[in-house]
């Protein structure tokens, strides 16, 4: 469980969150929705302790790994898809075999037999999104912070990501920030901002 205890956060004079207390439990997909600028991405950053609140606290389960997919996530353009997966796996203490890398590509619909040795700079936005999600899967995290995870994906890509999210929810804490109706539909619970 991720616990928000009386959390407040402002940016300059703009108060984004005021005295929020929530318990975010695992075993379900929790959608974070709201208008542009309502604080969806910021909520995920608070939940992952990427940023700190002005007051109150956010408590995470002990010894749990966090992984995220977001528009801000950068992959290395001068590396191939396989090299990106290997690199990000190594950062998290995992050495991915060639077979594992191909399997991760299959799970997200990224043909790494064909595109594995292509530099990421040559990928479409949809292919980049698939690669980002493959990186998330590679680290076997306990907490997933998903910010518009199916942005720029075709129907096949969406289906594959939705299947992965559904398949993982039973033993993970999954927060999904979105304004996309299809993404909202896969959520078990919705938190609408502002609170």
């Amino acid at each position: 469980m991720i616990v928000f205890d009386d959390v407040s956060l402002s940016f300059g004079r703009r108060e984004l969150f005021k005295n929020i207390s929530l318990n975010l439990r695992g075993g379900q997909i929790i959608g974070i929705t709201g208008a542009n600028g309502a604080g969806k991405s910021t909520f995920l950053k608070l939940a992952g302790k990427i940023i700190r609140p002005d007051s109150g606290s956010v408590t995470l389960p002990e010894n749990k790994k966090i992984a995220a997919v977001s528009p801000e996530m950068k992959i290395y353009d001068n590396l191939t898809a396989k090299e990106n997966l290997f690199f990000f796996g190594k950062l998290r203490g995992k050495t991915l075999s060639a077979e594992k890398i191909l399997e991760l590509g299959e799970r997200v619909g990224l043909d790494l037999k064909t595109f594995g040795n292509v530099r990421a700079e040559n990928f479409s936005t949809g292919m980049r999104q698939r690669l980002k999600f493959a990186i998330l899967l590679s680290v076997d995290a306990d907490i997933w912070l998903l910010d518009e995870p199916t942005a720029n994906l075709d129907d096949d890509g969406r289906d594959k990501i939705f299947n992965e999210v559904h398949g993982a929810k039973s033993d993970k804490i999954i927060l999904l920030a979105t304004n996309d109706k299809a993404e909202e539909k896969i959520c078990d619970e919705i938190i609408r901002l502002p609170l």
Side-chain angles (χ1 to χ4, degrees):
M1 182 163 41
I2 299 174
V3 178
F4 279 59
D5 184 13
D6 204 25
V7 168
S8 295
L9 179 69
S10 297
F11 291 131
R13 294 182 180 170
R14 183 169 177 244
E15 186 175 68
L16 202 54
F17 302 113
K18 183 176 181 180
N19 306 118
I20 295 175
S21 292
L22 294 167
N23 294 333
L24 307 172
R25 299 181 185 279
Q28 59 184 344
I29 304 163
I30 303 170
I32 314 299
T33 67
N36 293 339
K40 297 180 296 296
S41 298
T42 303
F43 187 93
L44 292 188
K45 289 175 185 173
L46 284 166
K49 297 189 99 168
I50 297 164
I51 60 174
R52 294 182 182 187
D54 296 331
S55 62
S57 64
V58 177
T59 306
L60 297 175
E62 288 186 27
N63 303 316
K64 299 296 183 186
K65 289 188 267 182
I66 300 173
V69 170
S70 76
E72 298 167 349
M73 179 182 176
K74 302 296 182 201
I75 54 178
Y76 287 96
D77 283 341
N78 60 335
L79 297 181
T80 68
K82 289 179 181 177
E83 289 168 341
N84 268 288
L85 277 162
F86 188 82
F87 174 78
F88 283 104
K90 269 300 216 195
L91 279 181
R92 299 299 288 266
K94 293 189 174 284
T95 301
L96 301 177
S97 67
E99 294 79 20
K100 182 65 175 177
I101 287 173
L102 288 176
E103 178 211 316
L104 290 165
E106 285 177 26
R107 287 171 67 182
V108 298
L110 184 58
D111 179 3
L112 294 180
K113 288 180 182 173
T114 304
F115 295 106
N117 294 317
V118 175
R119 286 187 179 181
E121 67 188 353
N122 297 310
F123 277 16
S124 69
T125 53
M127 291 172 71
R128 294 170 76 85
Q129 193 71 3
R130 289 176 194 248
L131 179 57
K132 288 179 183 182
F133 208 88
I135 291 167
L136 173 130
L137 294 175
S138 74
V139 300
D140 195 29
D142 307 290
I143 300 169
W144 288 6
L145 306 176
L146 308 176
D147 193 349
E148 301 178 355
T150 65
N152 302 308
L153 290 181
D154 57 23
D155 290 341
D156 174 69
R158 282 177 167 253
D159 290 345
K160 284 188 167 45
I161 299 309
F162 289 166
N163 286 338
E164 290 294 335
V165 173
H166 269 294
K169 76 176 185 177
S170 63
D171 64 346
K172 301 193 183 302
I173 299 172
I174 300 177
L175 304 182
L176 193 159
T178 188
N179 274 333
D180 182 281
K181 296 301 180 190
E183 289 181 348
E184 280 187 42
K185 284 180 184 175
I186 71 163
C187 297
D188 301 300
E189 178 185 338
I190 298 286
I191 297 171
R192 297 199 185 278
L193 301 180
L195 292 172

